[in-house]
Amino acid sequence: PGRIRLLFNPALAARPEVRKLAAAHSELPPGVLSVRVNALALSVVMEYDPERISPDLLNDLISADEERVVAVLRELSDKLTP
């Protein structure tokens, strides 16, 4: 599987659209194998199926500004919602 560690900005989690996306996926969506959150390090480790989730899209989560991160989260949500 693919594996990625994302550092996150706590202010991003306070955005209404991000909270709405998180609430819509209380269970792991297809393609996401596991998620571990380290609140002290402000990081998330995700193991995923690279056939279902593009590594390039995940790379955008690392290098993008806050607005693009929200757009990527929406795109991931759309792709992973059955």
Side-chain angles (χ1 to χ4, degrees):
R3 182 174 182 268
I4 188 168
R5 179 181 309 271
L6 303 168
L7 300 177
F8 62 89
N9 179 341
L12 189 62
R15 292 183 60 148
E17 60 268 45
V18 173
R19 294 170 65 92
K20 182 178 177 184
L21 287 169
H25 296 287
S26 59
E27 297 180 14
L28 292 179
V32 177
L33 307 175
S34 71
V35 175
R36 291 188 321 259
V37 176
N38 182 332
L40 292 175
L42 297 176
S43 69
V44 175
V45 174
M46 182 175 81
E47 291 184 353
Y48 64 95
D49 177 355
E51 296 294 319
R52 297 213 47 184
I53 302 171
S54 165
D56 292 335
L57 190 61
L58 292 176
N59 188 52
D60 280 351
L61 287 174
I62 296 169
S63 59
D65 64 20
E66 193 172 304
E67 293 302 317
R68 177 66 183 139
V69 168
V70 172
V72 169
L73 291 173
R74 281 193 193 115
E75 188 174 340
L76 282 170
S77 176
D78 291 344
K79 285 184 176 189
L80 298 175
T81 301

